[in-house]
Amino acid sequence: MTVTWEELGWERLAAGVGRCRLPGWDCTAGLVVGEGTALLVDAGSSLAEGARLRARAEDLAGGRVTHLALTHPHFDHVFGAAAFAGAEVYGAVGLDAVFAFERAELRLDAVRNGLPVADADEAVDALVAPRHPVSGEWTLDLGGGRQALLANVGPGHTAHDLAVLIPGSPEIVFCGDLVEESGEPQAGPDAVPARWPDALDRLVALGGEDALYVPGHGAVVDAAFVRRQRDELAARFGVI
């Protein structure tokens, strides 16, 4: 029996493309279904959540998750990554260094934000660097005429921000936390405020006026929303 996106609590954005909002931190995970392939965008906040996410994604895709794109190195987006064994993993250049040398900071941030210590320890111990670092743009052929463009559009929210563009009508851009709808964008110690507005300019140039922009947290937005958030960030950080 075929399940629908809605039956599993996912929001269908286009044929073979959708997203869900994970509990706890309202973090978005995206899914793009190709021919015998499936790309997941972000992996959840723990190994247990990653395993649940993988099971639901594979129910929708009718096969295993073959590709995983990590939009940035914050725990609520990457701590489930080890649950996707066998998938080809992509991230912005430098994500590997964060996983290798900043594990203590990732763990502390997770625990400080409410992730149980045991879950944080388990996830940090299992972190593996992405096999495929993206420095500019990388096109994935997912089969059946489906492509995904991975674009290193940062720095901004972090030093390692990756966006995922799915061509189609409409085009869909998974923005990670470069864009947030459910609250003011969070700028932690690893943010690069002086570059963030430029990153949002690149997002809009990537997707265009008619695209759907999927934020890391909150409801799907349009190009006008992204431009407004760009101007608010520029004013907030004094960026000309």
Side-chain angles (χ1 to χ4, degrees), residues 12-17 145-146 165-172 207 210-212:
R12 182 180 179 274
L13 303 174
V17 185
R146 172 77 73 193
L165 168 70
I166 310 303
S169 183
E171 297 200 327
I172 297 165
D210 298 324
L212 299 178

Side-chain angles (χ1 to χ4, degrees), residues 48-239:
E49 185 166 70
R52 291 191 296 269
L53 184 57
R54 180 169 193 163
R56 291 190 174 187
E58 292 183 346
D59 282 344
L60 289 169
R64 72 183 191 88
V65 172
T66 54
H67 300 73
L68 173 64
L70 302 175
T71 62
H72 64 287
H74 285 168
F75 81 94
D76 49 335
H77 297 258
V78 304
F79 269 15
F84 295 85
E88 298 292 332
V89 184
Y90 300 78
V93 165
L95 200 66
D96 56 341
V98 175
F99 284 6
F101 303 114
E102 299 179 25
R103 289 173 179 247
E105 290 85 347
L106 290 173
R107 177 192 175 280
L108 180 61
D109 182 55
V111 172
R112 188 167 47 230
N113 279 280
L115 189 69
V117 169
D119 290 350
D121 288 342
E122 180 184 44
V124 165
D125 287 345
L127 272 179
V128 177
R131 181 178 176 186
H132 305 289
V134 181
S135 59
E137 295 182 352
W138 190 317
T139 300
L140 298 179
D141 183 355
L142 298 175
R146 172 77 73 193
Q147 291 187 327
L149 177 67
L150 312 183
N152 186 336
V153 296
H157 176 65
T158 71
H160 315 289
D161 292 312
L162 188 75
V164 180
L165 168 70
I166 310 303
S169 183
E171 297 200 327
I172 297 165
V173 183
F174 291 97
C175 306
D177 286 3
L178 285 168
V179 179
E180 295 191 44
E181 185 277 334
S182 55
E184 185 176 80
Q186 298 301 300
D190 57 346
V192 187
R195 302 285 296 279
W196 200 336
D198 286 344
L200 294 188
D201 286 338
R202 287 191 287 276
L203 271 184
V204 174
L206 186 69
E209 289 301 312
D210 298 324
L212 299 178
Y213 293 86
V214 185
H217 303 265
V220 175
V221 300
D222 59 13
F225 180 95
V226 178
R227 282 196 301 272
R228 285 195 302 272
Q229 194 153 93
R230 180 252 182 244
D231 292 343
E232 290 166 1
L233 287 167
R236 175 178 165 188
F237 298 125
V239 179

